[in-house]
Amino acid sequence: MRLADWVVLCGALAFIVLYGLWRGRGSNSVNKYLLAGKTMPWHAMALSIMATQASAVTFISTTGQSYVDGMRFVQFYFGLPLAMVILAVTAVPIFHRAKVYTAYEYLEQRFDAKTRALVSAIFLIQRGLALGITLYAPAVVLTVILGWPDWLTTLVMGGVAVTYATLGGVKAIAWTDVQQMLVMTAGLVAALTCAVFLLPGDVSFLDAVTLAGAAGRLNAVTFNMDWNDRYNLWSGLIGGMFLALAYFGTDQSQVQRYLSGKSIAQSRLSLLFNAVAKIPMQFFILFIGAMVFVFYIYEKPPILFERTQLERLQSASMRADYSPVEQKYDAAFDLRKAAANQLIEARRRGDAGLWRKGLAEYGGAQRELDAARRASVSLAEKAGGGKINDTNFIFLTFVTRYLPAGLVGLVLAVIFGATMSAISAEMSALATVSVIDIYKRHFRTTASDRHYLAASRAATLFWGCYAVTSAHYAKSLGSLVEAVNILGSFFYGGMLGVFVLAFYFPRVRARGAFCGVLAGEAVIFASWYFTRIAFLWYNVIGCVVVVLTGLLISSLERRVGFSPRGASAPPMR
Amino acid sequence: MTEPEARRASQPDEPPPFLRTWRRVYLAVIGWLAILILAFYLFARRFAP
């Protein structure tokens, strides 16, 4: 980190936070504090929704995933636009007209207090567990790459987010998110520009894309249907749609964003903007990873991107085992570079024979390079490093080693900003559910608005402190982006199922909904424990089980003449 | 007036600022998704090894 980087990082963060606090002033009632007084315009909500979803792992891990596995991860988002349309048609008008603070408050209107409490508790557990990961994920990478202590990084990011979330409420969070999205966009454009401009002078942009494609790094769409395959067109469209429905339709950290809208139309537009912009944004981030891959064809990458593990391999005690692996790696790197030049030459001359020869050599060298990397991982794991996955270190290693002064600070501001936008929204949502669905509903039912405002601020502060503390325990989870998504998928299916029952099945009663959620969660955990089904499908399975159980129990209730407890009003369409 | 009708009346369904109806906006979003998938597929196929 050079002086210019510190200036850019500190300047960007200070501006973002001060601007958010300025916009968040006057949050002096519960409605203003938790729902921004329902005054937010669609463009601010849209960017806030996007920033909330885009945590630091989106940038750190997604680019690394593209480097090692190609761009097929983009298919994960294919179901998102479909989900946004469904939510714009159903959830947005229903929640707005129900005049609720939380999505779970609506469940009491539709079913009963027990179902509301159950789903609120599931949300608190699920979001509470994920909160620590969201904060810890970038901290651990910054610790290894920049040498900053992880407690300091989590404390700075958590402390700043707690400050503006506690003082300014949802309005400050949303307007801060807008600035953070602008910084993120600038940082990503800068990173891609640098990755392309740092290539050797005789390698054009088209050459770079050709080399990425030849290595299988541009595999953005794959049609093969495999239940155990995490990312293909079908799991993305179906599983991704269910996950997006659950995340944007039942997760208070997102519902709270569009509940703060001026009107139904404004909230709908904010979701539909995401439906249009999210996939191109993810494609762009993955494409950066592919270009970093091409950059490392000409600039030798470390055999392991996690510096501490690499230093372990290079220590005197490991030297005898590591030297042959390193030699193979160096030889494979030289072979791949030569084959890449051959491919470029073949493309320019239109020489099909030379292209086939170059492609075979290029593929062979890549396989040898991958084998040497795997061997180094095994060695480091044997040496006591635990399970190693250095995917999350690839992008920031590139940034800190090769980007010019100032831009490193900008990319780090992106990482900090993305983390703060994600955790501030999560803290605020957890605080809202804690106060509105638990404290106000079950412990202190009649108190002044001022009392609940103070309780909301205290709850935000509590969840902020919890985030910083729990971040220290969120270790050893493999690829971090997947850890967060997998965790969400354990609970989202059940939560989505109960809202589907509430919106679309007017004959389903409270008992059916309550038992449905329990059955759905049981089946999801059984699927995880007994099968190898990819986690995206848990959302589908959980939702279907909840709906079927709810329908079955409600049908039995009607037949045996149980009291129609919680039948309440038909769904509001 | 039933409760859902009263709630609907309190927050009417405004038209979108473009394309006149929400149905057209939703169709445009789904069309955009189809275009993106097709574009990504062609892109992947063009540069496949």
Side-chain angles (χ1 to χ4, degrees):
Chain A
M1 286 280 282
R2 290 148 287 189
L3 180 64
D5 297 319
W6 283 110
V7 169
V8 172
L9 175 62
C10 297
L13 293 184
F15 172 73
I16 286 168
V17 173
L18 291 174
Y19 179 77
L21 284 175
W22 177 70
R23 292 302 297 247
R25 70 198 188 284
S27 296
N28 52 9
S29 70
V30 173
N31 185 273
K32 285 179 183 169
Y33 188 74
L34 297 181
L35 293 182
K38 285 192 169 282
T39 57
M40 296 302 288
W42 74 267
H43 61 273
M45 281 188 289
L47 293 177
S48 182
I49 287 169
M50 209 172 225
T52 299
Q53 194 192 13
S55 66
V57 286
T58 305
F59 304 105
I60 294 173
S61 196
T62 306
T63 42
Q65 223 162 6
S66 176
Y67 180 96
V68 296
D69 189 41
M71 295 181 66
R72 67 195 188 109
F73 181 61
V74 75
Q75 296 169 112
F76 179 81
Y77 295 92
F78 282 175
L80 187 142
L82 303 175
M84 293 305 200
V85 168
I86 294 170
L87 293 173
V89 173
T90 54
V92 170
I94 288 173
F95 288 147
H96 262 276
R97 285 172 183 147
K99 298 190 188 304
V100 291
Y101 281 93
T102 74
Y104 320 120
E105 202 178 345
Y106 168 72
L107 290 178
E108 183 167 0
Q109 294 181 13
R110 174 64 181 83
F111 296 122
D112 61 1
K114 195 170 62 176
T115 308
R116 174 184 177 183
L118 174 66
V119 180
S120 301
I122 289 175
F123 170 76
L124 290 175
I125 293 168
Q126 179 246 20
R127 232 345 119 196
L129 288 171
L131 190 60
I133 298 171
T134 312
L135 188 55
Y136 175 73
V140 71
V141 180
L142 292 172
T143 297
V144 173
I145 289 183
L146 296 169
W148 299 346
D150 60 4
W151 64 266
L152 181 66
T153 320
T154 51
L155 196 65
V156 169
M157 289 190 290
V160 173
V162 167
T163 304
Y164 69 74
T166 306
L167 293 175
V170 162
K171 210 170 167 186
I173 293 169
W175 285 109
T176 307
D177 286 348
V178 172
Q179 304 305 315
Q180 279 159 346
M181 265 317 291
L182 298 177
V183 172
M184 284 180 213
T185 308
L188 289 172
V189 170
L192 179 63
T193 309
C194 286
V196 174
F197 273 88
L198 286 170
L199 289 169
D202 56 343
V203 178
S204 69
F205 178 68
L206 188 58
D207 292 334
V209 178
T210 304
L211 291 176
R217 295 303 189 272
L218 302 181
N219 52 345
V221 182
T222 50
F223 289 100
N224 56 313
M225 176 64 195
D226 181 354
W227 288 90
N228 301 324
D229 183 13
R230 285 177 179 171
Y231 311 120
N232 57 54
L233 180 70
W234 314 111
S235 68
L237 277 174
I238 303 167
M241 183 185 78
F242 273 78
L243 180 59
L245 275 173
Y247 177 57
F248 292 100
T250 75
D251 191 313
Q252 179 63 17
S253 66
Q254 285 294 359
V255 174
Q256 198 164 2
R257 306 269 78 72
Y258 57 81
L259 277 179
S260 64
K262 281 179 186 171
S263 65
I264 292 172
Q266 295 285 309
S267 296
R268 275 180 174 154
L269 286 172
S270 69
L271 287 180
L272 295 174
F273 174 83
N274 275 271
V276 170
K278 183 68 185 175
I279 296 175
M281 179 187 157
Q282 286 302 134
F283 183 87
F284 189 81
I285 295 170
L286 286 161
F287 191 69
I288 293 173
M291 288 300 104
V292 170
F293 172 84
V294 177
F295 169 80
Y296 276 128
I297 289 175
Y298 294 97
E299 187 74 32
K300 195 166 81 177
I303 195 165
L304 281 180
F305 285 90
E306 192 174 348
R307 198 184 59 196
T308 48
Q309 301 297 345
L310 185 62
E311 283 168 358
R312 177 175 284 138
L313 286 181
Q314 290 167 337
S315 65
S317 59
M318 297 290 297
R319 201 71 221 165
D321 293 327
Y322 174 59
S323 280
V325 176
E326 190 180 28
Q327 281 166 13
K328 277 185 190 170
Y329 183 75
D330 291 349
F333 170 77
D334 292 335
L335 271 177
R336 187 179 68 170
K337 191 172 167 182
N341 288 330
Q342 209 173 21
L343 280 177
I344 291 173
E345 189 61 28
R347 189 190 70 76
R348 288 178 186 164
R349 283 173 22 195
D351 186 335
L354 185 61
W355 172 265
R356 279 193 294 276
K357 183 172 168 286
L359 196 61
E361 287 177 13
Y362 186 65
Q366 183 62 49
R367 282 190 290 277
E368 282 181 34
L369 210 71
D370 291 340
R373 242 173 77 76
R374 280 197 298 276
S376 70
V377 168
S378 299
L379 274 179
E381 284 177 348
K382 271 184 205 161
K387 188 165 167 45
I388 294 169
N389 183 347
D390 68 343
T391 307
N392 303 313
F393 296 83
I394 294 169
F395 179 59
L396 281 186
T397 300
F398 164 74
V399 166
T400 51
R401 284 192 185 181
Y402 301 104
L403 260 56
L407 288 186
V408 177
L410 182 64
V411 173
L412 290 178
V414 171
I415 306 298
F416 271 69
T419 307
M420 293 191 305
S421 65
I423 62 162
S424 60
E426 290 172 15
M427 283 186 305
S428 175
L430 285 162
T432 306
V433 174
S434 305
V435 172
I436 301 293
D437 293 309
I438 307 292
Y439 179 68
K440 188 179 177 186
R441 178 64 185 79
H442 297 283
F443 295 99
R444 186 83 184 266
T445 51
T446 50
S448 66
D449 190 74
R450 203 172 154 188
H451 175 83
Y452 291 123
L453 176 63
S456 302
R457 286 191 202 278
T460 309
L461 185 63
F462 164 79
W463 282 110
C465 295
Y466 164 84
V468 175
T469 312
S470 64
H472 290 289
Y473 298 99
K475 296 180 180 175
S476 307
L477 282 168
S479 181
L480 298 167
V481 69
E482 290 182 3
V484 176
N485 287 327
I486 291 169
L487 193 67
S489 293
F490 280 163
F491 298 100
Y492 276 148
M495 288 166 71
L496 178 61
V498 76
F499 279 95
V500 169
L501 285 175
F503 293 163
Y504 298 107
F505 297 94
R507 290 166 72 85
V508 170
R509 298 169 184 174
R511 190 177 283 112
F514 187 81
C515 296
V517 176
L518 295 179
E521 286 303 322
V523 171
I524 289 169
F525 277 91
S527 303
W528 167 70
Y529 194 78
F530 294 112
T531 74
R532 290 172 54 82
I533 294 172
F535 72 89
L536 264 181
W537 294 107
Y538 296 166
N539 303 291
V540 187
I541 293 167
C543 180
V544 170
V545 171
V546 173
V547 171
L548 292 179
T549 310
L551 287 171
L552 181 71
I553 290 178
S554 296
S555 167
L556 287 173
E557 270 186 332
R558 282 195 299 278
R559 286 190 186 185
V560 298
F562 281 174
S563 64
R565 188 158 60 92
S568 69
M572 292 161 284
R573 295 215 174 89
Chain B
M1 190 184 275
T2 64
E3 193 186 349
E5 284 168 347
R7 284 175 172 175
R8 199 173 299 146
S10 72
Q11 292 218 32
D13 216 350
E14 298 167 36
F18 42 80
L19 297 177
R20 291 188 186 175
T21 67
W22 286 107
R23 183 186 292 269
R24 286 185 190 164
V25 176
Y26 300 146
L27 285 174
V29 169
I30 292 167
W32 171 244
L33 172 64
I35 291 169
L36 282 180
I37 293 175
L38 181 67
F40 291 169
Y41 169 69
L42 294 174
F43 174 74
R45 209 174 71 156
R46 164 69 182 81
F47 292 102

